[in-house]
Amino acid sequence: MALIVQKYGGTSVGTVERIRGVADRIVRYREAGHQVCVVSSAMSGETNRLDALGKEVVERPLAREMDVLLASGEQVAVALLAIALTARGVPAQSFLGFQVAMRTDAAHGRARIEQIDTQALRAALEAGTVPVIAGFQGVSPTGAVTTLGRGGSDTTAVAVAAALSADECEICTDVDGVYTADPRVEPKARRLGTITFEEMLELASLGSKVLHPRSVEFAGKYQVPLRVLSTFEDGEGTLITMEQDNMEQPVVSGIAHARDEAKITMSGVPDIPGVASKILGPVSAAQIEVDMIVQNTGADGLTDFTFTVKRADYESALDLLRPVREKLGARALEGDNSIAKVSVVGVGMRSHAGVATRMFDALAEENINIQMISTSEIKISVVIAERYLELAVRAIHGEFGLDGKPS
Ligand code: ADP
Ligand code: ASP
Ligand code: MG
């Protein structure tokens, strides 16, 4: 008998019919002799709907109240799932974040899990009851409702699996595993049987929506066996593993893309010490995350400073920098919020040279201009115009021999 934590995503619980299907799937695991602890997302589209509702009231709603609003999506889903399980003769009980208790810090909208009380969950499991936990939500030190950031139910599930020392954490979703690229963008993408934590963490952090980055971080840290698989079909899915040392590593394991990026350039800035901190200081003080940074100095002693932020932060970052531009006497402040980032990831890059050149060649062949580049030991990222995103992913996918057989 194994203890399995299963997380069901929005599409998996998107309709009453699907919720019934998920309940049947859980019953099958129980009949096979396993203990199951469930984590659920909100029904698909619900979190977006609630988010839009809050922003309809005022442009910038209070973060604390937005968390109360957004967390309600999961409350509906866990109640429906517990009702469906009970109707099948399986005792089930819903748990909201505070009932677990899922303790987080107080950073509304992007809270981090700090501690999970397992007592109530263990008691339910021992009594033969299936706990159905609301993903994505927690409780702050002062008792406020918090949320973990979009896609955060994956992290709830892995954290619960770690706290319960579960035998496996299954992320049950609308794809049957982790692919070499988002199958919605590259239909020739192939499912990977296994992928290392390190690569998966890069892919997730660079935009692969299939797993929330912090869930991979948790799984690596607490050695939780993590599997991504389909809710709707049987199959092995993809197992996230420790690095295999004996296997022939492909140079590139996968491609990630992120559309929600924007670029800001302050040009013609007098090149004196402290410029970078004068430009980025106010941006980070406003909790705006900066991703890539490029600085170039021309022969005239003036410097151009470019960096990227999430598209949602674009207008606020520009607002913050207008007075900074005046103060520094910079020539111009410009931005572009229709860029995208494409990245190749692979541990095999450590032992192979020339990966960047092959990636750049593949883009050049399609006449795609590279605007920014950043690299680390196992990844290369480029910023391009968003309209070339699909073309770029497909060109790079082909270049590195990742295309699977047409299905
Ligand atoms: P859920 O609602 O179940 O959490 P998500 O929409 O968050 O599902 O994540 C699943 C989606 O992630 C897939 O439908 C797919 O389009 C996308 N995706 C992006 N990159 C990948 C990848 N490398 N492999 C598989 N799916 C990916
Ligand atoms: N419902 C939340 C979202 O849409 C959390 C999740 O689905 O993981 O972001
Ligand atoms: Mg998700």
Side-chain angles (χ1 to χ4, degrees), residues 7-12 41 44 151 153-154 171-175 177-185 200 203 207-211 228 231 255-257:
K7 177 259 171 176
Y8 292 95
T11 317
S12 308
S41 295
S44 55
S153 296
D154 299 335
I171 303 294
C172 309
T173 183
D174 57 4
V175 269
V178 177
Y179 277 63
T180 48
D182 186 342
R184 289 187 210 199
V185 169
M200 193 62 238
L203 286 172
S208 282
K209 232 180 101 193
V210 64
L211 283 174
V228 175
T231 301
I255 300 173
H257 72 266

Side-chain angles (χ1 to χ4, degrees), residues 322-376:
R322 281 189 193 103
V324 177
R325 181 208 151 195
E326 299 228 331
K327 219 159 121 205
L328 291 176
R331 189 173 55 230
L333 176 67
E334 293 156 318
D336 182 353
N337 65 356
S338 54
I339 58 159
K341 182 168 73 175
V342 180
S343 311
V344 298
V345 170
V347 286
M349 263 183 230
R350 286 198 182 111
S351 47
H352 287 79
V355 179
T357 314
R358 280 176 70 186
M359 181 182 187
F360 303 159
D361 283 350
L363 294 171
E365 213 143 284
E366 299 294 344
N367 267 318
I368 300 171
N369 188 39
I370 300 172
Q371 303 181 14
M372 294 172 88
I373 300 168
S374 106
T375 65
S376 79

Side-chain angles (χ1 to χ4, degrees), residues 7-10 40-43 45-48 70 73-74 135-136 149-155 212:
K7 177 259 171 176
Y8 292 95
S40 182
S41 295
M43 296 169 82
E46 194 54 18
T47 313
N48 286 344
L70 294 193
E74 271 70 13
F136 178 57
R150 298 303 305 270
S153 296
D154 299 335
T155 299
H212 191 242

Side-chain angles (χ1 to χ4, degrees), residues 66-373:
M66 279 308 277
D67 273 356
V68 176
L69 180 61
L70 294 193
S72 69
E74 271 70 13
Q75 176 164 345
V76 172
V78 291
L80 294 175
L81 198 46
I83 290 169
L85 281 165
T86 313
R88 279 156 182 72
V90 173
Q93 189 192 315
S94 63
F95 284 86
L96 300 183
F98 79 92
Q99 292 171 315
V100 170
M102 183 78 55
R103 300 188 190 283
T104 70
D105 61 18
H108 287 290
R110 55 193 157 77
R112 300 182 79 97
I113 297 175
E114 290 180 337
Q115 205 208 322
I116 301 178
D117 295 349
T118 54
Q119 211 183 339
L121 297 180
R122 283 192 201 280
L125 286 165
E126 262 159 43
T129 299
V130 176
V132 185
I133 304 167
F136 178 57
Q137 57 177 259
V139 57
S140 80
T142 57
V145 176
T146 54
T147 64
L148 310 180
R150 298 303 305 270
S153 296
D154 299 335
T155 299
T156 309
V158 176
V160 166
L164 293 174
S165 307
D167 296 289
E168 189 161 293
C169 181
E170 291 187 350
I171 303 294
C172 309
T173 183
D174 57 4
V175 269
D176 63 348
V178 177
Y179 277 63
T180 48
D182 186 342
R184 289 187 210 199
V185 169
E186 171 52 288
K188 290 184 194 151
R190 269 185 300 116
R191 181 176 62 83
L192 299 162
T194 61
I195 184 165
T196 65
F197 278 109
E198 205 183 359
E199 289 170 316
M200 193 62 238
L201 184 59
E202 284 284 0
L203 286 172
S205 310
L206 293 164
S208 282
K209 232 180 101 193
V210 64
L211 283 174
H212 191 242
R214 221 167 305 138
S215 70
V216 188
E217 213 177 289
F218 255 105
K221 191 165 162 193
Y222 297 102
Q223 310 255 309
V224 178
L226 180 61
R227 192 183 292 277
V228 175
L229 73 179
S230 167
T231 301
F232 308 109
E233 304 159 20
D234 290 336
E236 295 287 291
T238 301
L239 185 66
I240 324 295
T241 60
M242 293 296 146
E243 192 160 344
Q244 309 102 317
D245 46 13
N246 54 346
M247 280 175 56
E248 179 80 6
Q249 295 287 359
V251 183
V252 169
S253 297
I255 300 173
H257 72 266
R259 283 178 200 279
D260 59 339
E261 306 266 316
K263 176 177 92 164
I264 293 176
T265 301
M266 180 132 23
S267 49
V269 192
D271 191 15
I272 45 166
V275 162
S277 96
K278 285 202 177 79
I279 295 173
L280 295 181
V283 176
S284 52
Q287 312 281 344
I288 294 174
E289 215 178 294
V290 172
D291 181 15
M292 287 193 205
I293 305 171
V294 173
Q295 188 181 359
N296 267 325
T297 305
D300 52 6
L302 295 178
T303 182
D304 292 344
F305 195 92
T306 304
F307 62 95
T308 61
V309 293
K310 290 262 170 286
R311 206 171 283 176
D313 294 324
Y314 175 68
E315 296 295 344
S316 324
L318 276 179
D319 286 347
L320 287 165
L321 287 173
R322 281 189 193 103
V324 177
R325 181 208 151 195
E326 299 228 331
K327 219 159 121 205
L328 291 176
R331 189 173 55 230
L333 176 67
E334 293 156 318
D336 182 353
N337 65 356
S338 54
I339 58 159
K341 182 168 73 175
V342 180
S343 311
V344 298
V345 170
V347 286
M349 263 183 230
R350 286 198 182 111
S351 47
H352 287 79
V355 179
T357 314
R358 280 176 70 186
M359 181 182 187
F360 303 159
D361 283 350
L363 294 171
E365 213 143 284
E366 299 294 344
N367 267 318
I368 300 171
N369 188 39
I370 300 172
Q371 303 181 14
M372 294 172 88
I373 300 168

